[in-house]
């Protein structure tokens, strides 16, 4: 089943989180909640977000602190301070104030919902990376005579999926489209569509920055890989450069080709005295060390050194 947090699944998770008598897991194949007692023999079940009485108590404290009714606020603070039958007495105190009782349930659902959203985002990323699989890190030195390194402006817009008939020339544009489609294939439909829309903003337009393809060909004329760089700036000159698409054919990976293409792009930006950033909408884990070694700035990845 698609790895998507539907409203029905979210409600089921919230219900299970509040059940303090039993522990539940998310089955990533059926996308349903199952009792933890059933075990996880096949490794497909994930613990739900942690939600203990301590979390619930802190939520009640926060809600009470936001109270605009001083009488009810004082009563709730007294309940919280008693530390005895707190949850039951808290609900009973609110029953006499229907408006605040509804506000409490809304507040609790929204706050717990944020917890679920954050948890699901993390496990969704983990599932996506697992689906992408491990790519070997580039370790071998590429021989200059093995490839021709070329550069030119893109000849047409890029699309995911490639426009019918447009992506059949085997050139660098097609390589970029194929690799982008490969990287997004395991994403949920909505995420894949969003990535495709972002990728579709890449092609040059009359008011866009200057674009340039850095690509490699075999002696037989086969395109092996490419990166697309867009230069930004005013009429007075270029001020920044960004890699907005990148890809290497599977048969040519782990040969140092991607690193060499990045070096060529970085050298070109360096000659213009401008920085180069990596702004591709999706980054596979194996690319991170390659980009780090190349000294390419990653504007969308937090820098742990700062």
């Amino acid at each position: 089943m698609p790895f998507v947090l539907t409203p029905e699944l979210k409600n089921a998770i919230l219900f299970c989180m509040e059940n303090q008598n039993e522990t539940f897991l998310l089955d990533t194949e059926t996308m349903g909640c199952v009792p933890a007692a059933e075990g996880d023999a096949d490794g497909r079940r994930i613990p739900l977000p942690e939600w203990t009485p301590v979390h619930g108590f802190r939520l009640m404290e926060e809600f009470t602190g936001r109270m605009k009714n001083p009488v009810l606020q004082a009563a709730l603070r007294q309940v919280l301070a008693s530390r005895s039958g707190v949850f039951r007495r808290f609900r009973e105190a609110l029953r006499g104030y229907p408006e605040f009782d509804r506000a409490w349930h809304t507040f609790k659902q929204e706050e717990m919902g944020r917890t679920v959203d954050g948890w699901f985002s993390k496990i969704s990323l983990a599932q996506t990376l697992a689906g992408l699989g491990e790519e070997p890190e580039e370790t071998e030195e590429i021989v200059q005579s093995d490839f021709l390194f070329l550069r030119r402006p893109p000849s047409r817009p890029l699309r995911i999926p490639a426009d019918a008939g447009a992506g059949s020339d085997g050139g660098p544009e097609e390589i970029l489209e194929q690799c982008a489609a490969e990287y997004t294939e395991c994403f949920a439909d909505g995420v894949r569509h969003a990535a495709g829309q972002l990728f579709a903003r890449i092609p040059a337009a009359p008011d866009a920055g200057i674009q340039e393809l850095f690509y490699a060909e075999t002696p037989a004329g086969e395109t092996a890989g490419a990166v697309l760089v867009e230069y930004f700036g005013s009429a007075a000159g270029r001020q920044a450069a960004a890699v907005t698409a990148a890809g290497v054919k599977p048969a040519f990976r782990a040969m140092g080709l991607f690193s060499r293409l990045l070096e060529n792009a970085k050298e070109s930006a360096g000659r213009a005295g401008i920085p180069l950033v990596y702004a591709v909408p999706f980054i596979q884990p194996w690319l991170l060390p390659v980009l780090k070694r190349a000294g390419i700035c990653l504007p969308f990845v937090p820098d742990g050194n700062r």
Side-chain angles (χ1 to χ4, degrees), residues 5-23:
L5 182 63
T6 63
E8 294 76 17
L9 176 59
K10 187 172 183 177
N11 287 335
I13 292 172
L14 291 171
F15 179 81
C16 292
M17 286 169 63
E18 288 201 273
N19 186 336
Q20 298 297 311
N21 299 317
E22 192 172 4
T23 303

Side-chain angles (χ1 to χ4, degrees), residues 254-289:
M255 299 175 64
L257 184 58
F258 182 69
S259 296
R260 178 59 183 274
L261 290 169
L262 279 179
E263 287 173 9
N264 291 350
K266 188 178 179 183
E267 286 174 6
S268 176
R271 286 194 294 272
I274 56 178
L276 178 68
V277 300
Y278 193 83
V280 178
F282 20 77
I283 300 178
Q284 284 188 291
W286 69 276
L287 289 179
L288 293 175

Side-chain angles (χ1 to χ4, degrees), residues 141-274:
E141 288 296 325
I142 198 165
V143 180
Q144 176 69 31
S145 60
D146 289 341
F147 296 93
L148 299 175
F149 291 93
L150 308 168
R151 54 195 289 187
R152 64 167 171 80
S155 61
R156 60 176 176 79
L158 307 180
R159 292 287 187 273
I160 305 178
D163 292 337
S168 58
D169 55 5
E173 291 88 352
E174 184 181 358
I175 298 296
L176 296 175
E177 290 167 339
Q178 289 175 345
C179 289
E182 172 196 343
Y183 298 163
T184 59
E185 186 60 34
C186 65
F187 294 167
D189 289 343
V191 177
R192 184 163 58 248
H193 176 72
Q197 291 297 310
L198 182 57
F199 190 79
R201 298 170 67 91
I202 290 172
D207 58 347
I210 299 172
Q211 293 183 316
E212 194 167 31
L213 281 166
F214 294 82
Y215 60 105
E217 287 186 355
T218 66
E222 180 183 3
T223 304
V227 298
L228 178 63
V229 175
E230 182 162 353
Y231 299 93
F232 302 91
S234 62
R238 300 174 179 180
Q239 298 171 343
V243 176
T244 51
V248 175
K249 278 186 177 180
F252 298 104
R253 292 175 186 170
M255 299 175 64
L257 184 58
F258 182 69
S259 296
R260 178 59 183 274
L261 290 169
L262 279 179
E263 287 173 9
N264 291 350
K266 188 178 179 183
E267 286 174 6
S268 176
R271 286 194 294 272
I274 56 178

Side-chain angles (χ1 to χ4, degrees), residues 27-43:
D27 189 312
T28 57
E29 288 194 12
T30 65
M31 294 306 285
C33 298
V34 297
E38 295 183 10
D40 185 30
D42 47 15

Side-chain angles (χ1 to χ4, degrees), residues 75-121:
L76 293 178
R77 281 180 172 163
Q78 186 174 4
V79 168
L80 295 174
S82 68
R83 303 284 176 168
S84 175
V86 173
F87 295 94
R88 174 182 55 80
R89 294 176 59 196
F90 191 87
R91 292 193 299 270
E92 289 175 350
L94 286 170
R95 285 196 187 111
Y97 300 83
E99 180 180 348
F100 289 100
D101 189 36
R102 289 192 297 271
W104 158 245
H105 287 290
T106 299
F107 173 76
K108 183 176 70 171
Q109 288 294 107
E110 289 178 349
E111 292 301 311
M112 292 182 69
R114 289 191 185 95
T115 298
V116 173
D117 290 340
W119 163 81
F120 194 84
S121 294

Side-chain angles (χ1 to χ4, degrees), residues 292 302-306:
K292 204 165 189 178
D303 184 350
N305 297 324
R306 287 191 292 176

Side-chain angles (χ1 to χ4, degrees), residues 118-139:
W119 163 81
F120 194 84
S121 294
K122 291 180 181 178
I123 64 172
S124 180
L125 176 60
Q127 290 289 315
T128 296
L129 297 184
L132 288 172
E134 291 294 329
E135 287 278 359
E137 184 177 318
E138 296 185 336
T139 56

